[in-house]
Amino acid sequence: MKYVLVTGGVVSGLGKGVTASSVGLILKACGLRVTAIKIDPYLNTDAGTMSPFEHGEVFVLDDGGEVDLDLGNYERFLDIKLTRDNNITTGKIYQSVIEKERRGDYLGKTVQVVPHVTDAIQEWIERVALIPIDGSDKSADVCVIELGGTIGDIESMPFIEALGQFSCRVGSGNFCLIHVSLVPVLNVVGEQKTKPTQHSVRDLRGLGLIPDILACRSAKPLEENVKAKLSQFCHVPDENIITLYDVPDIWHVPLLLRDQKAHIAILKVLDLSSVDWKEPELEQWTVRTKHADLLDKPVRVAMVGKYTGLSDSYLSVLKALLHASVALNRKLVLDWVPASDLEDAMKEQNPGNYQTAWNVLKGAGAVLVPGGFGDRGVEGKILAANYARENKVPYLGICLGMQTAVIEYARSVMGISDANSTEFDQNTRNPFVIFMPEGCKTHMGGTMRLGSRRTIFHVKNCKSAKLYGNVKFVDERHRHRYEVNPGMIERLENAGLIFTGKDETGQRMEIVELDNHPFFIGVQFHPEFKSRPAKPSPPFLGLIAAATGQLDDLLDPSLTKSKPRSNGGVVPQVDAPLLQSMNGLPYGSPYGSYSELHNGSPNGTRDNTKALANGVTTMKHANGSSNGGVYSNGNGIYH
């Protein structure tokens, strides 16, 4: 097994996750099997109880693992399925060590950070690196490890010590260290400064880790004299210094690595130069990236959510929208709508915000209400569902977005004005959404309905079944505590709501649709977690198609060129002549600022997605809300 470690220095938010994903992609393009591990030094056991404002979205894996959002990048770039053990945290390591101590595994010895904690870290890495991740029974050839945080952080010291020991134990030919650092430009001086990177490398060396490759984040490509200076002072060969300058979107990063021959440097360090590997052409990836750069016909989607102050909170949703938009030849324009700004109370508190929110909602070609927890903004989400239903605007509700659509229907169509969820009103007389019977009310972490679950289609000719290729069932990932009340299904269906997908028992509602609407679908699962650049998620594909007048073509196989998806869905293919016409085009301006999702919102909210975003100007906030408030679900745990 070969190991590639990606660390970061100077500041956080440089894009280590995208760098690690891109390294994995080019190595996979060389013909190697690649897996990935993310190390998060925080004490939490997993990301499940962390606020999206604090740490971005919680990404959910097939096995139910609630993990860091970087694992979502790994899965999307490498098209693999990881496990909960691919995300290592301090909490998991200490929990494992303490359990061993309680069992007496250490034979009465004093349990210490060195060697017991550091050994546990190394054993965990070696064990997880051997887990097959591509559907076969074969282990990976290379394991890419990302160390979260910044070199020098006190909480990461045990991991740095463990990785230093690990590099010595596996040998220099089996371990490659890529250090991501910042080369800023001071406006006063106007030149690229190497001192921050020099100091970062010095600190790294002082901790026992020696970088083989430098990946330098900068606004523009590094000047040759700057590379020479870095090579001299950091003791890294000139050809092993890679420039990761600002690009239009993160799909360009693997192309930057390929064009600078980063794969050759990595293979050389790993003693793989002599093995039979192929040049990473990345043809499909390159074509898709160029195609995305050229799109100019917009599709405007209103995202009505609770955590709109930090786009990382909905990162997988944004990626799924992007995948679908590019596949359907549209440029995504995303409008953020804070759900609470749509509510009547906001009309009195802040009429400007209220009017802006409604103007944005009414100007969108589609409405998406994502998942969430707690009662803040719920009435705004219900109003958004009402607007989309009554005005025939394409609507997709995910998890809570499906539940609010059901509540809205019960209130507006069935005339049950006090219809509600027990999550928001435990004493409601008409609970259309209830706490799941098997749920736990005393512990928050890992107690939801999590991971891949089966949804069986009960209506053959519905839109959702057609989007998935008319298969009998699909497996999608879940993360919820509440569900549509089975006791209310008959009343809802008699009123015209159709539950087209249910679980294997037939008692748990998974997909809801309106038949007399261009596109009104709610799903209890989270389809965004399985969306890939080359395989857009069917519900997102349907939403964008409905918003752009392409839904009939998408649903009728005889009207569109398509190929089957592994889970039964379809992916429209870009016409071959268009691909041929783009073959000679440049990747786009190498000096452009990062703007993967073009925000057309009149309120000027800007996208501050973490990875490689405008140098380092878009770091995460402890609280990304627009009005400075901190929100929780009332249980002391941020969601």
Side-chain angles (χ1 to χ4, degrees):
M1 177 67 68
K2 307 289 186 177
Y3 300 91
V4 177
L5 173 63
V6 178
T7 61
V10 184
V11 294
S12 61
L14 287 177
K16 296 187 302 297
V18 173
T19 303
S21 302
S22 301
V23 166
L25 179 61
I26 62 169
L27 292 178
K28 183 177 180 180
C30 288
L32 299 170
R33 293 179 180 272
V34 182
T35 187
I37 293 175
K38 172 66 186 297
I39 296 175
D40 283 304
Y42 48 68
L43 280 169
N44 303 63
T45 301
D46 58 34
T49 57
M50 298 177 71
S51 166
F53 284 141
E54 186 81 16
H55 204 68
E57 78 169 1
V58 176
F59 191 80
V60 178
L61 303 170
D62 269 4
D63 66 358
E66 297 174 285
V67 297
D68 183 80
L69 57 82
D70 280 321
L71 273 79
N73 277 327
Y74 305 158
E75 286 204 342
R76 285 186 288 268
F77 272 56
L78 300 174
D79 194 17
I80 57 178
K81 292 182 180 179
L82 300 174
T83 71
R84 68 177 74 233
D85 286 346
N86 288 83
N87 192 191
I88 304 176
T89 69
T90 299
K92 287 181 180 179
I93 294 297
Y94 276 60
Q95 189 175 54
S96 171
V97 170
I98 291 172
E99 286 175 354
K100 287 183 179 180
E101 185 273 333
R102 291 289 85 187
R103 289 196 304 264
D105 291 0
Y106 296 118
L107 300 176
K109 292 186 177 180
T110 301
V111 180
Q112 298 174 292
V113 173
V114 181
H116 303 102
V117 171
T118 52
D119 284 352
I121 293 169
Q122 296 174 67
E123 290 165 5
W124 193 301
I125 291 173
E126 286 186 301
R127 174 176 60 83
V128 174
L130 296 174
I131 299 175
I133 38 73
D134 58 1
S136 70
D137 58 355
K138 296 181 180 179
S139 298
D141 302 307
V142 180
C143 178
V144 178
I145 307 166
E146 178 192 351
L147 176 60
T150 306
I151 293 300
D153 293 344
I154 190 170
E155 60 265 27
S156 64
M157 290 302 176
F159 291 101
I160 292 173
E161 174 62 27
L163 290 166
Q165 296 177 14
F166 188 68
S167 66
C168 291
R169 187 157 61 83
V170 299
S172 58
N174 296 312
F175 190 88
C176 175
L177 199 164
I178 301 175
H179 188 57
V180 183
S181 187
L182 176 68
V183 179
V185 174
L186 300 181
N187 291 333
V188 177
V189 181
E191 65 176 347
Q192 295 173 331
K193 308 301 291 185
T194 64
K195 196 65 70 176
T197 296
Q198 291 181 44
H199 287 180
S200 181
V201 170
R202 182 189 63 189
D203 291 344
L204 190 63
R205 286 176 172 274
L207 294 169
L209 289 171
I210 300 175
D212 299 294
I213 296 171
L214 290 181
C216 299
R217 287 287 293 114
S218 59
K220 299 180 180 181
L222 291 185
E223 299 168 4
E224 288 303 317
N225 65 313
V226 173
K227 291 182 69 173
K229 190 174 183 180
L230 285 171
S231 177
Q232 180 180 13
F233 284 93
C234 298
H235 306 166
V236 175
D238 186 81
E239 63 271 19
N240 286 14
I241 298 177
I242 309 298
T243 308
L244 297 181
Y245 50 82
D246 289 352
V247 287
D249 63 64
I250 61 175
W251 288 357
H252 286 271
V253 179
L255 306 181
L256 289 180
L257 294 176
R258 180 200 62 186
D259 293 345
Q260 296 177 71
K261 306 298 182 183
H263 56 287
I264 295 178
I266 296 170
L267 294 173
K268 183 177 180 181
V269 174
L270 295 177
D271 283 347
L272 291 173
S273 299
S274 58
V275 303
D276 186 20
W277 58 273
K278 59 183 180 180
E279 191 68 28
E281 297 294 339
L282 293 173
E283 182 178 357
Q284 292 184 2
W285 189 277
T286 303
V287 167
R288 189 182 307 112
T289 302
K290 293 178 181 179
H291 178 55
D293 288 344
L294 291 173
L295 295 175
D296 56 4
K297 292 183 180 179
V299 56
R300 188 176 292 275
V301 179
M303 174 89 81
V304 183
K306 177 179 178 181
Y307 316 111
T308 55
L310 183 65
S311 62
D312 270 4
S313 302
Y314 301 111
L315 187 60
S316 291
V317 176
L318 307 187
K319 300 299 183 185
L321 285 170
L322 179 67
H323 300 161
S325 299
V326 172
L328 293 171
N329 305 316
R330 290 297 186 273
K331 178 180 179 179
L332 178 63
V333 179
L334 188 65
D335 290 334
W336 298 96
V337 181
S340 55
D341 285 0
L342 296 171
E343 298 172 359
D344 291 339
M346 185 59 65
K347 188 175 184 179
E348 298 180 2
Q349 297 173 11
N350 193 323
N353 283 5
Y354 176 83
Q355 192 61 50
T356 296
W358 276 103
N359 288 343
V360 172
L361 182 66
K362 292 178 179 179
V367 176
L368 191 151
V369 178
F373 297 86
D375 59 0
R376 183 176 63 83
V378 165
E379 293 301 323
K381 295 179 180 181
I382 292 173
L383 288 169
N386 174 264
Y387 169 80
R389 182 182 59 80
E390 291 186 346
N391 292 277
K392 306 294 184 181
V393 177
Y395 176 90
L396 176 60
I398 299 173
C399 196
L400 179 58
M402 168 183 164
Q403 297 171 8
T404 52
V406 169
I407 293 171
E408 187 280 324
Y409 197 83
R411 290 181 182 180
S412 302
V413 178
M414 299 171 63
I416 305 174
S417 59
D418 61 348
N420 215 328
S421 166
T422 56
E423 181 180 6
F424 317 130
D425 182 2
Q426 294 184 358
N427 300 315
T428 179
R429 292 181 299 173
N430 288 286
F432 277 77
V433 177
I434 61 173
F435 192 82
M436 292 186 299
E438 71 271 31
C440 176
K441 294 186 177 182
T442 59
H443 288 72
M444 302 294 290
T447 58
M448 289 184 276
R449 185 169 180 248
L450 294 164
S452 182
R453 307 294 178 113
R454 182 151 293 178
T455 295
I456 298 174
F457 288 104
H458 286 250
V459 180
K460 290 186 178 180
N461 293 321
C462 62
K463 292 184 180 71
S464 57
K466 289 181 179 179
L467 287 170
Y468 278 99
N470 287 315
V471 293
K472 293 182 179 179
F473 61 84
V474 293
D475 296 318
E476 293 281 10
R477 298 175 184 179
H478 294 67
R479 185 177 186 250
H480 64 107
R481 288 192 180 90
Y482 292 81
E483 63 180 348
V484 177
N485 189 347
M488 299 290 190
I489 301 306
E490 185 176 356
R491 295 170 63 185
L492 287 164
E493 291 186 326
N494 289 338
L497 210 56
I498 307 172
F499 291 94
T500 58
K502 302 178 182 180
D503 77 339
E504 294 169 301
T505 68
Q507 296 299 306
R508 184 159 280 151
M509 303 302 109
E510 294 283 0
I511 306 176
V512 64
E513 292 187 35
L514 273 180
D515 193 34
N516 59 346
H517 192 284
F519 189 89
F520 193 96
I521 292 180
V523 293
Q524 185 59 69
F525 48 80
H526 287 265
E528 67 270 21
F529 292 140
K530 295 181 75 171
S531 184
R532 304 288 184 264
K535 305 175 194 173
S537 168
F540 286 89
L541 207 58
L543 179 71
I544 300 300
T548 57
Q550 303 180 69
L551 185 59
D552 290 341
D553 292 343
L554 185 65
L555 297 180
D556 189 341
S558 66
L559 299 177
T560 183
K561 298 176 182 179
S562 59
K563 66 177 181 179
R565 278 191 64 188
S566 59
N567 67 349
V570 296
V571 181
Q573 298 302 290
V574 182
D575 290 339
L578 175 60
L579 297 187
Q580 293 171 5
S581 70
M582 294 191 298
N583 280 342
L585 295 176
Y587 300 144
S589 170
Y591 308 121
S593 62
Y594 178 90
S595 181
E596 179 181 346
L597 300 167
H598 306 275
N599 191 337
S601 172
N603 62 8
T605 306
R606 74 184 186 91
D607 174 41
N608 42 338
T609 302
K610 178 175 93 173
L612 303 182
N614 294 325
V616 294
T617 61
T618 55
M619 299 180 199
K620 291 182 182 178
H621 308 281
N623 178 351
S625 62
S626 57
N627 61 3
V630 178
Y631 307 107
S632 74
N633 65 354
N635 295 305
I637 302 295
Y638 290 119
H639 285 285

